[in-house]
Every structure is written in structure tokens, then in C-alpha cells.
Amino acid sequence: MKFRRQFLINASTTLAALAATRGAQAQVTNEAPAGSPPTFGTLPAVGPEVSPATFAEAEKLVQAAMTPAQRAMAAASWRTSMASMLERRTGPRKVALADGLAPATVWDPAMGAASPGPSRARFVRTRADAGALPASADDIAFATVTQLSRWIENRKLSSERLTTIYLGRIQRLDPKLRCVITVTREHALAQARQADKEIAAGKYRGPLHGIPYGVKDLLDTAGIATTWGAEPFRNRVPAADSTVVARLTAAGAVLIAKLSLGALALNDIWFGGQTMNPWLLEEGASGSSAGPGAATAAGLVGFSIGSETGGSIVSPSMRCGVTGLRPTYGRVPRGGAMTLCWSLDKLGPMTRCVEDAMLVLQAISGPDASDVASVPARLDFDSGAPVRGLKIGYFPSWMNEAPATDIDRQALESARKLGMIPTPVTLPDWPYQSLNVILFAEGAAAFEEIVEDGRIDQLREQTPDAWPNLFREARFLSAVDFVQSDRLRRKVAQEMARIFSQVDLLLVPSLRDEMLTISNNTGRPSLTLRTGFVDVGETRSDWAPDPSHPTVKLSPPRRVPHGVTLIGRLFDEGTIARAGMALEKAAGVAAQRPSGF
């Protein structure tokens, strides 16, 4: 407003001329007439000169069109009407925005519903005996948290021994996988010994007490490097634990490793190389939770924590044959986690079975002041509850075309045999990829500083589909289209609410692009689990086809895990978990291990 007033003062030649006619004693006022409002288009001219040709070229980027006269007007007025809106970034009065500062608007997947989610809080784990402790250290390493916790609770297994087993496996096997960025050896052994002392004294904290785990290296750990998998941050050492790590510590879990992620949470290549798939070492583990996927599948940790913005738990869980649970947006607080996209990022467990994922979810759930999007939500899970009668939705056309396989179709048939009711559903044929304007714009905003100062050029991958190029391109996205995408997001969320008024859960091909986009943008919980195996004739990649980095042909074809994804009602992870446990048991493949590990 001050600038606009100054413009009126400086430009008011009429006032000056009038004052001159009134003689030397007349005085010119330094203020606009009382009641004059501020106006647009009266700011001081800033920024570089632009021409009608500038706008003609820019129209190609935003797919808009103006007439020659409209371009001329825009070019003449741009520097006084719009350029100053960029001052926060371009100066002279720059304002730095701290990493932890969230936007003023917060995505609410429930869209104002009074009480989304279950009506009660309940958690009932299986009561089955874990059996005798295996003689083989490898068999112990591949046991589920469900089993390990019983052995530790009954003092058949010490946390220190289990931690030592995993540390030895990391040292021996990680060179094949490159899934560990930092081994927290001394920290882990100290926590394990403390756990054993507490358990011996009768102070058992629960099913995660004494269980070694790893976290994707975008979760802060006090005094331990948290690198985000990216060259500019490889020496970054935070002063405090992230909320999730603090909660796992409170549950008695043992932090053993910081696990790899594709740089800045994209795909599976980080500054130490590419994280590989334990089932097929010729291909990457998929990302960006590549390290959690590979480490869990290879028996290097008891469980792990990953994150997802657009598929980063689902994809490596599929590739590596583990269970990935992406909670409802807002259930698990993200304080102390790297931000890629404020309205999409989610943290969740990656485990060797479905029940394990729920044991971990119980420990990390609940609101926290560190995350403005976190909300209180009940968790209702009963491992013994029947699945008969659950309406399981599916998209008929999706089940009969790629990327669906016979494994997907068999899972739907298994659900029917278990007493669930397959129910066909539909979605409108909308351009769901338009929602990715939100991802690209928020991501470019989150990493604006390293794009502007050039540090992003240090990243190993500089291909057209890597973050450096995408963040630079995102600067040219239209703010108008961002708002319109946000409005489309609400419309899509309403469609998902309509579908879930008809069914209890959805079964979908895990890597169906539309559903990855839809379910992430609407905040729906997702459970990916192995239900079979397929043969592949060439390696798979997260990256766009590149002749200089061709995929590897496999002859004969190789057998690799494959699974399905269940999508649930908001905050209703319990229903997809019990359905997932039933499908997991029916498939009978969860315990199979990759050879060589």
C-alpha cells in the first residue's frame, strides 16, 4: 500500500499544477486525498523489461493464448503490476522460509466430516505362540516382528543377540544392495542392552521393545547424520529426533540403520549409488523408500519406516516383496522428516507381514504439534475379526489390463472364497495426472533454495525426469492451474467418498498410475502385500526409458514377488489390515526369502 500511495504522490502532476496556481504560499500535500483506495498496477517498476514476444513464448508453457493487443498491454504493465509479487524471492526484501515452516493452508482428506474413521479404539494382536526359537541366525533374522516380539518378551531371545545378528548381516550383505547409508552400531548396541535390562526387570514396553529397525534417511536422528540421500546434505547432522523416531525409542525399539532413499525422495539412486532388489540384483529396489524395501526383504532389519508422496512405499514394497502400509494422511506426524510435499507426504511401516505393519503403526500414530496436518484418530484393529461380508470394490477394466496380472485376479478370487463380496465400482474418466501440479509446485517450493543457489546440480541424476529438471520446470507452472488442481482434488475426494459409501475397501493393481495419484491426493490408507510371484523377462526401472541406460534382458525369465494393494476408508487401516492378513494367509507366500540372503 505504501508503494501505491507513493505512486499517486509522484504521479499527481495535476495536484502540483493546481498548487502552483494558488501562489507561492500554497502547499502541495504529501498524501493522496482522503478516502483514496490503493490500486493495482501502480507499484514501482521492477525486474527485467519484457516484450509482447516474451508473452507469446510464455503462452506455450502455460497453454494459454492472448491477442497481440493483450500481449502489448501485459508487456507494458507487467513490471508495475506483477513483477513485485516475486520480491519475496528476488528481492530487494527477501524473506527466507525455514524448512519446518508449513503453508497456511492444510489439506483435510475428511473435508470437514465430524468424525471420520472408526467409532472405537481397539488393538487386538494375534495370540498364537511364536514357537521355538530357531537354531539358525538367518532364520531368526527373517522372523516377523510378531514372532520376534514374543521371543524377546519371553526372554528366549535377547535384544543384544538379535541386534548383533542384524549388524553382522548388514556388514556382510549390504555391499550387494547399497541399502544402508549409516550404520548406527554403538547407538544400537546401547539401546539393545538397555532393552534387555528393562525386560529382565519386568519393564516390558510392548511388541517393539528390543526390536532392531531402520528408518529411511529423511527422518531426523539426534547426533546421527540424516542425509536425504542427496549430495548437498550428506554431512547434515540434526540436533533432535524426528517425532516418529522419538516414538519408536519410547516403544523400546532399537535404531540400527539409516536406510537409503533416492535423492530427495525420488526413485532408488542416491549419492552412494543405486539400491538393488534382493530378489533380482540386476535391477533397482524401486523408490523412493528403496532402502527400507531392500533391507526388510533381505533380513537386515526387523522392520523399517518409509515415506510416500506418490508411490514411494507401494512401489518398493511390490518390487522387494514386503508389506507396505501407507497410513491415512494426518495419522502419523511428520515432525523432523524431510518435506517434499506438505499436502501429500506420509510416513509408514514396511515389514515382512501385515500384522507387523499394524504393530508399528500403533506405536507411531497420534497427533503432534510438530505437524500441523496431524490429527487425532482412533485405530481399530482386531486380528481375529472375520472378513466374511466385507464388500471389496474393484475396477473391472483395470483387472483385465496391464499392469494387472493373474496374481491380481487370483487375489480377487481369493477374497471371494474368503467370504468377501467383490463389488464392481467406477471412476469418472478425468485427467487425474493434472493433480501432479500440486506435487511439482510444492516440491519446487520445498527445495527452492538449493535450486536457486545451484546446489541441486550436485545430485547424481540430472536426467529430464529427475528432480533438478522437474523443479526448474515447475517454476513455470501457472498459479491459476495450481488452484484449479486443488479444486479438482476436492472433486476427486468426493468421488472416492462416493465409492466408499458402496464398499468397505478396494483391491487394485498396486502400480496402477491413476490410483497411485488418486489415493495419495485424497489421503486414503493403502496396504501393499505379496500374494504371489511372476516371471519377468527384463529388469524394471523407475526411470523414463533412456537408450544410454537400457534395461537388462533376462534369459531365462526370473521369478520375482508380486502383490496387490488394498485401499481403505479414511483412518480405517484396521479393515484393510484384517483383509490383508486373510489374503496373506490364503496366498501362503509371505515367508519365502530371496536366495543368497
Side-chain angles (χ1 to χ4, degrees), residues 23-351:
Q25 313 216 318
Q27 295 192 359
V28 180
T29 178
N30 283 329
E31 295 183 2
S36 297
T39 64
F40 294 124
T42 57
L43 292 166
V46 294
E49 295 281 355
V50 295
S51 68
T54 306
F55 281 89
E57 291 301 307
E59 287 167 30
K60 299 174 185 176
L61 297 180
V62 297
Q63 298 183 49
M66 292 192 285
T67 67
Q70 291 166 346
R71 291 187 198 113
M73 180 182 290
S77 63
W78 172 262
R79 297 178 68 237
T80 58
S81 62
M82 292 290 173
S84 65
M85 309 301 168
L86 308 177
E87 185 183 6
R88 193 276 315 158
R89 175 171 61 91
T90 62
R93 298 178 300 171
K94 295 184 180 181
V95 178
L97 303 176
D99 289 340
L101 183 67
T105 53
V106 178
W107 168 246
D108 175 13
M111 298 185 296
S115 80
S119 59
R120 63 181 172 183
R122 174 181 56 165
F123 197 93
V124 182
R125 61 179 297 196
T126 54
R127 297 176 177 83
D129 181 17
L133 183 71
S136 162
D138 288 348
D139 290 343
I140 293 172
F142 275 100
T144 64
V145 174
T146 303
Q147 297 169 304
L148 293 171
S149 63
R150 296 299 191 194
W151 293 328
I152 288 176
E153 180 183 11
N154 296 327
R155 300 175 65 183
K156 295 179 180 179
L157 175 66
S158 72
S159 176
E160 185 173 3
R161 183 187 176 199
L162 183 59
T163 300
T164 301
I165 289 172
Y166 284 132
L167 286 170
R169 290 179 64 81
I170 289 172
Q171 183 176 11
R172 187 171 78 253
L173 299 170
D174 183 59
K176 295 181 182 181
L177 300 173
R178 293 185 293 275
C179 64
V180 177
I181 295 181
T182 303
V183 181
T184 59
R185 181 182 181 82
E186 297 308 318
H187 177 85
L189 288 171
Q191 285 189 320
R193 290 166 186 149
Q194 179 64 28
D196 288 335
K197 288 179 183 178
E198 291 178 351
I199 294 167
K203 298 177 181 177
Y204 184 63
R205 301 193 192 192
L208 301 188
H209 202 174
I211 306 292
Y213 73 100
V215 295
K216 187 174 179 176
D217 200 28
L218 51 59
L219 282 164
D220 281 355
T221 42
I224 300 169
T226 301
T227 71
W228 303 351
E231 288 82 348
F233 303 103
R234 61 189 306 168
N235 297 316
R236 178 182 175 275
V237 180
D241 284 336
S242 58
T243 304
V244 163
V245 169
R247 287 182 175 179
L248 291 171
T249 299
V254 174
L255 176 64
I256 198 171
K258 303 298 295 293
L259 302 174
S260 64
L261 67 156
L264 304 182
L266 179 69
N267 298 350
D268 51 20
I269 295 178
W270 55 290
F271 60 78
Q274 185 173 29
T275 298
M276 310 310 287
N277 178 8
W279 292 88
L280 184 56
L281 289 172
E282 293 91 337
E283 72 179 4
S286 193
S288 64
S289 301
T296 304
L300 306 189
V301 293
F303 68 90
S304 57
I305 302 293
S307 74
E308 173 152 325
T309 304
S312 292
I313 288 176
V314 173
S315 189
S317 294
M318 268 284 287
R319 184 83 56 88
C320 299
V322 302
T323 299
L325 175 58
R326 184 192 74 211
T328 305
Y329 178 82
R331 178 182 283 285
V332 177
R334 303 163 300 176
M338 184 203 87
T339 296
L340 175 62
C341 187
W342 289 274
S343 69
L344 285 167
D345 295 344
K346 295 160 286 285
L347 303 173
M350 298 174 70
T351 60

Side-chain angles (χ1 to χ4, degrees), residues 308 310-311 314-315 318 324 326 391-413 415 420 422-427 496 499-500 503-520 522 524-531 562-569 576 579-580 583:
E308 173 152 325
V314 173
S315 189
M318 268 284 287
R326 184 192 74 211
K391 289 186 176 180
I392 185 165
Y394 70 99
F395 297 91
S397 62
W398 290 9
M399 298 301 289
N400 292 310
E401 60 190 32
T405 68
D406 286 342
I407 300 301
D408 300 273
R409 292 181 280 273
Q410 289 168 13
L412 186 61
E413 177 60 17
M420 290 182 258
T423 306
V425 295
T426 61
L427 272 169
M496 287 294 278
I499 287 175
F500 277 94
V503 299
D504 298 299
L505 70 160
L506 291 173
L507 186 150
V508 298
S510 295
L511 299 179
R512 184 78 191 199
D513 198 12
E514 297 97 321
M515 187 48 66
L516 283 172
T517 301
I518 291 167
S519 61
N520 272 288
T522 59
R524 296 273 165 181
S526 160
L527 178 70
T528 299
L529 66 147
R530 189 199 318 174
T531 53
H562 192 84
V564 296
T565 292
L566 306 178
I567 309 293
R569 292 192 174 108
I576 57 175
L583 289 171

